[in-house]
Amino acid sequence: MTHAPLIDPFARPITYLRVSVTDRCDFRCTYCMAEHMQFLPKKDLLSLEELDRLCSAFIGLGVRKLRITGGEPLVRRDILTFFRAVSRHLDTGALDELTLTTNGSQLSRFAADLAALGMRRINVSLDTLDPAKFEAITRWGKLAPVLEGIAAAKAAGMRVKINTVALKGFNEGELFRLVDWCGAEGHDLTFIEVMPMGEMGEELRLDQYWPLSDLRARLAERFTLHDLPDSTGGPARYVRLGESGQRIGFITPLTHNFCESCNRVRVTCTGELFMCLGQEDRADLRAPLRASPEDDALIAAIRGAIARKPKGHDFDYARAPGGSAIRGQMSRHMSHTGG
Ligand code: SAM
Ligand code: SF4
C-alpha cells in the first residue's frame, strides 16, 4: 500500500467498502422502491471506468473487502467489464474479497463468470419461496429465475447467503420453510429487520415491522440457538442452530447499536460517499474524479470525509414521538445507497 490507511476519528479502520453501481432495478420490492421510480440521468452515474478508479483508490487506502450492490448491479450494462477490472486486486492480493448483493434475477447468466474471476461468496435477496407471494412483494419479479440463479451460483462453487427481509404478515409463516430450505441447500441465511427508508408512507413501514427479537424467539421454539462471536464488524449477529448446524444471521439496525465496530462506508452510483447509513452527511467524490485523471484530489476528498465519519446512527421507532412518526427516517431509498 502506498498511502497511510483510512482510520476514522473513533480509531475504526475503514476496510470495507460497499459500492452501488446503478439505481435501476428490474424489481420493485414494496419495502424498497415505489412502483414508478424516477431514475437518474446517465450523465450523473459514474462510468464503469470511474467506478474502477474509485474502488482502486479505496483499495490503495486499505480497503480489503468490496461489496457491489445497487439497485440491481447485474442489470447495469457491461457490468462484467467492471468486475473483471476490479478483480485484478484479488490477483495482486490487495483485496481479500470481492462480492455482490443481488436479487438473483440475472444470476444464472453471470454466476460462472463471476466465480471464474475470483468471487467466492454472493448474497441473494429472497423473501419468500412462494411464487405468488414473490410476485406480490417484488411487484415485477418471478421466483423461478431467481432459484435458477441461486442454483447456478452454487454449481459454480460460490457460497450463497440468502438475505430475507422479515415482514410481518408476509413471511412470518414461512420462517421454518426458509430455514429448512437453506439448510437442505447449504446456504447461510440472514434475516433483515425492515428499515425506514424512502418515502413509502409510515403506515406501511410500521405495519410491516417484524422485530427480529420476536423472529428469534420463534426460531428458539424449534431449535437450540448458540450465539456466535461477531467477526464482521457489521450489523449482523449470528447464531448456530444446534439441531442442524446451520448459521443464521440477524441484522437489526433498529434495535441494536452496532456502530462501535463499524468498519465500512458506502458510495452511491453517483459517487456520493456516505460515512454512515443512518446519517445524511456525505461527500461528493464524482467532482474530484472528473476534475483530474490523477487521484490526488479524490484521495484528499476521501480522507476529508472519513475524518467526519460519525460515531453512530439514529434510527429508532420506539423513540418516535407518540409512537407514530418515525424519527430518524431517511429520505433516500435503499436502492440509492445500496443496502
Ligand atoms: N437489488 C439487490 C438486492 O435486492 O439484493 C441489491 C440492492 S438491495 C437495496 C440490498 C438489500 O437491501 C436487499 O437484501 C434488500 O432486501 C434490502 N432492503 C431494501 N429495502 C429495505 C428496507 N426498507 N429495509 C431493510 N432492508 C431493505
Ligand atoms: Fe430492486 Fe433489490 Fe430494491 Fe428489490 S430490494 S427493488 S431487488 S434494489
Side-chain angles (χ1 to χ4, degrees), residues 136-188:
I137 199 76
T138 62
R139 291 202 191 97
W140 296 4
K142 293 257 183 252
L143 178 63
V146 172
L147 295 181
E148 283 161 26
I150 293 170
K154 182 177 163 182
M158 285 190 274
R159 271 203 74 77
V160 176
K161 191 176 85 174
I162 302 294
N163 280 343
T164 301
V165 177
L167 295 164
K168 196 175 190 167
F170 178 77
N171 54 14
E172 273 179 286
E174 274 189 274
L175 175 62
F176 294 113
R177 185 179 180 199
L178 283 161
V179 169
D180 291 343
W181 180 77
C182 286
E185 294 291 324
H187 307 320
D188 284 333

Side-chain angles (χ1 to χ4, degrees), residues 18 20 22 24-27 29-33 68-74 100-104 123-127 162-167 192-198 200 205 208 251 253 317 333-339:
R18 291 191 178 213
S20 170
T22 178
R24 284 159 203 263
C25 186
D26 52 347
F27 290 2
C29 303
T30 56
Y31 50 76
C32 176
M33 288 196 188
I68 304 306
T69 177
E72 174 47 41
L74 298 182
L100 170 69
T101 301
T102 175
N103 66 22
N123 286 9
V124 185
S125 303
L126 180 68
D127 302 328
I162 302 294
N163 280 343
T164 301
V165 177
L167 295 164
I192 309 176
E193 208 161 60
V194 78
M195 292 213 280
M197 287 285 179
M200 280 150 292
R205 282 280 84 74
Q208 293 181 325
I251 299 185
Y317 287 116
H333 286 264
M334 197 80 164
S335 54
H336 185 56
T337 22

Side-chain angles (χ1 to χ4, degrees), residues 45-64:
L45 298 188
L46 297 186
S47 67
L48 296 180
E49 294 74 23
E50 288 168 338
L51 283 165
D52 176 36
R53 252 184 84 197
L54 184 134
C55 293
S56 300
F58 272 98
I59 292 165
L61 293 169
V63 160
R64 306 288 313 174

